[in-house]
């Protein structure tokens, strides 16, 4: 074992930007108790995900010293906000670069990223950040990053960085594992035991995220093929970026990245194999998921309750602000009973209730939700009784009992409910309800589907092509030409010449 210290800088800048939302992601959105973070606070902030995996493995090497550089954590709005402002981006990248200069020199850098960040007038922000980092640490240092599979990435990032490790599953079960890999391979590269060589291929296919569940074919087949290559060949790592079409940026669409240990020929072979597979499966990829209108979905939920095929999940995948009331309105119109609605995001309502000292037992009579943008619809008046109210996870939460044993959960920001029992704090009798109406794309499957909890699952969206729609040709793109992508054009793609 070497006695020489290996110094690794750790940075974080993540956002999945829905650029069609009217509310920009501002500097203030990233500033709250705990964010920005540096030092040990940064290294410990997310122990079950990318950062946790990276730190855990890096610290298994006694000679490694980790330095947490001041970085923003996820914004308060999480994914419920639009373009990141120039002020926010420049402020935090400036702090990061200043920190690297002050704390350096470094042998390596770890970037904990998402990949679908969209910044005003910065076409490829993750690649731009990698370039800024490279200018400070020089070519002798190694840069590794972790990504969400919904990253919009092309070859630009790895022109500046050395390695990338993207989650394979959706829901994202393997985030900690990819952080582990990033740490292990970064140390190996610094020691001279791994010479990263990579190949990137863009495949002209674009798809809505709700279709990309990797628990079913053919998305499962893509993941399995990547895992087969990693099992067959030593020191091979494969990334398949599904892409995030709700960020209006030039590098949308699907991407294959392959990393090898000084074997460009093998990287080329594997990248072409996966890219060709995506292209051959392109039609099936876009037909993998059944979707219902909200009216139809609520009617089917009522029938499932009558048939005792409960619990039922009504998942509104399309609500990107969290404020949409379409599903709530239809639940009331069809008199659906014994239902939990989790959640409606309404920052004004929760602030007002908090200021008024709302508590369990108080009467409730307010118009809630809607108005955030056209996709959110109009507010809905709810009359009932507050059953719970309090702070948690940076938000103020209010539960309202109304109608025929229904519960509405109000939150300050968009919340994706991933498993039912996380709601027990707010709704202690959660397992007594027949229907759970949630705002989630695919992540809910980890707690409602993959474990056999829900007998009926219905994905719904409004009939209007709002900003979370599966009909991408209805979105007001400015930086994306959809005719360059299947299924909206007839793009040329060759497995041999790509």
């Amino acid at each position: 074992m070497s006695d020489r210290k290996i110094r690794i800088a750790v940075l974080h800048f993540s956002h999945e930007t829905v650029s069609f939302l009217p509310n920009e992601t501002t500097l203030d959105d990233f500033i709250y108790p705990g964010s920005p973070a540096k030092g040990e606070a940064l290294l410990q902030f997310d122990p079950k995900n990318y950062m946790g995996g990276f730190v855990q493995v890096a610290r298994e090497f006694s000679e490694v010293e980790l330095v947490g550089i001041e970085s923003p954590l996820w914004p308060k709005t999480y994914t419920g906000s639009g373009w990141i402002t120039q002020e926010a981006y420049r402020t935090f990248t400036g702090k990061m670069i200043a920190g690297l200069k002050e704390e350096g020199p470094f042998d390596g850098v770890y970037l904990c990223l998402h990949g679908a960040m969209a910044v005003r007038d910065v076409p490829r922000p993750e690649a731009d950040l990698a370039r800024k980092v490279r200018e400070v640490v020089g070519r002798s240092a190694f840069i590794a990053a972790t990504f969400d599979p919904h990253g919009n990435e092309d070859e630009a990032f790895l022109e500046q960085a050395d390695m990338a490790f993207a989650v394979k599953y959706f829901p994202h079960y393997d985030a900690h594992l990819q952080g582990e890999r990033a740490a292990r391979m970064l140390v190996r590269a610094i020691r001279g035991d791994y010479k990263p060589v990579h190949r990137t291929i863009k495949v002209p296919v674009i798809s809505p995220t709700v279709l990309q569940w990797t628990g079913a074919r053919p998305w499962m087949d893509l993941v399995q093929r990547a895992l087969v290559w990693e099992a067959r060949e030593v020191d091979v790592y494969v990334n398949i970026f599904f892409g995030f079409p709700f960020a209006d940026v030039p590098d949308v669409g699907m991407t294959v990245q392959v990393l090898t240990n000084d074997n460009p020929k093998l990287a080329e072979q594997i990248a072409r194999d996966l890219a060709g597979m995506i292209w051959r499966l392109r039609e099936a990829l876009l037909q993998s998921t059944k979707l219902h209108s909200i009216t139809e979905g609520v009617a089917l939920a009522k029938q499932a309750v009558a048939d005792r095929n409960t619990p039922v999940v009504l998942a509104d995948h399309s609500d990107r602000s969290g404020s949409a009331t379409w599903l709530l309105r239809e639940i009331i119109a069809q008199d659906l009973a014994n239902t939990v609605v989790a959640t409606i995001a309404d920052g004004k309502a929760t602030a007002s209730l908090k200021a008024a000292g709302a508590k369990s037992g108080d009467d409730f009579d307010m118009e809630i939700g809607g108005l955030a943008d056209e996709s959110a619809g109009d507010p809905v008046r709810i009359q009932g009784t507050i059953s719970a109210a309090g702070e948690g996870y940076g938000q103020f939460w209010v539960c309202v009992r109304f109608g025929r044993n229904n519960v509405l959960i109000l939150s300050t920001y968009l919340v994706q409910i991933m498993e039912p029992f996380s709601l027990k704090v707010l709704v202690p009798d959660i397992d007594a309800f027949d229907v759970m109406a949630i705002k989630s794309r695919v992540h809910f499957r980890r707690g409602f589907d993959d474990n056999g909890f829900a007998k009926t699952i219905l994905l719904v969206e409004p009939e209007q092509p709002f900003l979370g729609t599966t009909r991408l040709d209805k979105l007001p793109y400015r930086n994306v030409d959809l005719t360059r992508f299947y299924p909206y054009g007839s793009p040329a793609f060759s497995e041999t010449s790509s």
Side-chain angles (χ1 to χ4, degrees), residues 129-360:
L129 175 58
R131 177 186 58 79
K132 294 176 187 294
V133 169
R134 177 64 72 194
E135 289 174 353
V136 175
V137 300
R139 283 289 164 185
S140 62
F142 289 88
I143 301 174
T146 49
F147 286 96
D148 188 288
H150 295 109
N152 292 321
E153 296 300 321
D154 55 19
E155 65 281 352
F157 181 80
L158 286 178
E159 288 175 354
Q160 301 296 333
D162 301 285
M163 294 174 283
F165 301 89
V167 160
K168 289 182 171 60
Y169 297 99
F170 186 23
H172 304 333
Y173 297 120
D174 55 327
H176 192 277
L177 172 62
Q178 302 308 329
E180 293 176 30
R181 286 178 159 184
R184 190 173 297 112
M185 303 316 295
L186 185 54
V187 171
R188 285 184 61 190
I190 293 168
R191 286 176 169 177
D193 183 44
Y194 193 90
K195 183 180 179 181
V197 171
H198 40 78
R199 176 68 164 101
T200 300
I201 297 179
K202 291 291 292 184
V203 187
V205 174
I206 193 168
S207 67
T209 53
V210 70
L211 305 184
Q212 298 167 0
W213 178 39
T214 56
R217 305 185 71 177
W219 294 92
M220 176 192 294
D221 299 332
L222 295 182
V223 169
Q224 183 59 36
R225 185 64 177 171
L227 292 172
V228 164
W229 274 115
E230 291 182 348
R232 279 174 56 176
E233 302 291 341
V234 176
D235 285 344
V236 162
Y237 299 94
V238 179
N239 299 327
I240 302 175
F241 286 99
F242 303 152
F244 186 70
F246 306 109
D248 184 12
V249 294
D251 47 349
V252 294
M254 296 190 69
T255 306
V256 174
Q257 286 178 347
V258 179
L259 180 69
T260 68
N261 189 358
D262 198 20
N263 194 336
K265 183 177 180 181
L266 181 60
E268 184 76 19
Q269 176 190 358
I270 297 172
R272 290 192 183 281
D273 176 81
L274 267 298
M277 183 178 182
I278 291 170
W279 188 244
R280 290 189 297 274
L281 293 174
R282 62 191 183 278
E283 183 176 358
L285 289 170
L286 299 180
Q287 296 178 354
S288 61
T289 303
K290 175 68 173 175
L291 300 171
H292 304 277
S293 71
I294 285 179
T295 301
E296 179 186 27
V298 173
L300 289 171
K302 287 191 73 173
Q303 186 60 52
V305 171
D307 295 340
R308 297 186 179 180
N309 290 324
T310 58
V312 178
V313 171
L314 273 170
D316 179 3
H317 74 89
S318 65
D319 182 14
R320 294 286 167 175
S321 69
S323 307
T325 56
W326 305 98
L327 182 55
L328 173 63
R329 187 181 299 277
E330 191 62 26
I331 286 169
I332 294 170
Q334 294 196 34
D335 193 29
L336 196 59
N338 211 31
T339 297
V340 174
V341 181
T343 71
I344 299 290
D346 191 327
K348 290 183 179 179
T350 57
S352 172
L353 290 162
K354 180 180 177 180
K359 62 186 184 301
S360 178

Side-chain angles (χ1 to χ4, degrees), residues 4-10 43 54 58-59 61-68 103 105-108:
R4 186 180 76 85
K5 277 289 184 184
I6 293 176
R7 304 191 74 242
I8 298 175
V10 176
L43 301 178
F54 182 87
R59 285 184 165 166
F61 299 95
S62 60
E63 71 271 32
V64 169
E65 176 190 356
L66 299 180
V67 181
E103 299 282 355
F106 293 102
D107 302 289

Side-chain angles (χ1 to χ4, degrees), residues 380-406:
V380 171
R381 184 180 179 186
I382 297 293
Q383 295 174 296
T385 303
I386 294 176
S387 58
E391 297 274 1
Y393 298 100
Q395 305 198 52
F396 191 73
W397 306 77
V398 180
C399 296
V400 181
R401 296 260 176 178
F402 73 100
R404 294 195 298 129
N405 195 38
N406 296 326

